[in-house]
Amino acid sequence: MYYGTGAYFDDIDNVFQDLLVIVGFGVFVGRNVAGALNKLSSRMNDLADGNLDVNLDFQSFVGEVNHMIQSVKLFRAALEKNRALELEKDELEKKADEERRQATLQLADAFDASVGEIVKAVGSSAADMEGTANDLSGAANQASDQAITVAAAAEEASRNTASVASATEQLSASIEEIARQ
């Protein structure tokens, strides 16, 4: 049929059917791509929140979306490796802290033992010095007693000398008296 426009309804129907198929295919592809991208976006948000157990085992018939999924899988593997390295670092830090603590304790024990030996030696020396001081004090007391005895003997000797001098004077006076007679 022909209407005054120069276009056939059959041609318009064919174009409209082709357009309908193209739009339908576009909607199908768009929904598939949008669904896959929404899923991928949601899983990436889960990864960003620290959840490494997200499921990335889905596919799209669009190659670029599949490449993006593979990239996110690589990103997750890198995050898992990073987490493992952080755990290993934490363990190494704990081990180093424990080793430092043990070394500090050993150093403190060695210092304590060394100081203990020094205190013991000083205590022994103090006891020896006390014994020596007691011996010297006894010797000084004995010397003092002997000095008192010597002083008493000297005084006695001085008195005896005075008596001998007096007796000698008397003897001398008697000799003079006898000599005059």
Side-chain angles (χ1 to χ4, degrees):
M1 291 209 286
Y2 179 75
Y3 297 108
T5 60
Y8 292 104
F9 281 115
D10 291 337
D11 290 338
I12 292 175
D13 276 343
N14 286 341
V15 168
F16 182 69
Q17 286 175 354
D18 290 342
L19 185 62
L20 194 59
V21 168
I22 291 172
V23 167
F25 183 72
V27 167
F28 174 73
V29 169
R31 287 186 63 118
N32 187 310
V33 170
L37 288 176
N38 282 337
K39 244 189 215 183
L40 185 60
S41 174
S42 172
R43 308 281 164 80
M44 287 177 69
N45 287 335
D46 289 344
L47 280 175
D49 289 339
N51 180 10
L52 299 180
D53 296 328
V54 296
N55 182 8
L56 295 174
D57 294 330
F58 62 94
Q59 296 219 356
S60 171
F61 68 85
V62 179
E64 287 77 9
V65 174
N66 287 335
H67 289 301
M68 289 175 68
I69 293 170
Q70 292 304 318
S71 295
V72 172
K73 285 181 180 180
L74 291 174
F75 180 69
R76 179 178 62 184
L79 286 176
E80 288 171 345
K81 184 177 180 181
N82 188 29
R83 183 174 284 175
L85 289 174
E86 285 180 9
L87 290 174
E88 184 180 348
K89 182 189 88 160
D90 290 344
E91 287 297 318
L92 289 174
E93 285 177 353
K94 286 179 185 177
K95 185 178 178 183
D97 287 344
E98 180 62 24
E99 287 175 357
R100 271 194 299 277
R101 190 179 73 76
Q102 289 296 328
T104 302
L105 289 175
Q106 287 176 350
L107 184 61
D109 289 344
F111 179 75
D112 188 38
S114 174
V115 168
E117 289 296 320
I118 291 171
V119 167
K120 187 176 177 182
V122 168
S124 176
S125 295
D128 291 346
M129 287 178 71
E130 183 179 9
T132 303
N134 288 336
D135 290 346
L136 288 175
S137 177
N141 287 336
Q142 187 179 8
S144 175
D145 291 343
Q146 288 175 353
I148 290 172
T149 303
V150 167
E155 188 176 322
E156 182 68 29
S158 177
R159 276 191 301 234
N160 288 342
T161 304
S163 293
V164 169
S166 174
T168 304
E169 250 181 60
Q170 286 176 0
L171 182 64
S172 181
S174 293
I175 293 175
E176 270 182 36
E177 188 64 35
I178 293 177
R180 264 192 310 211
Q181 294 181 354

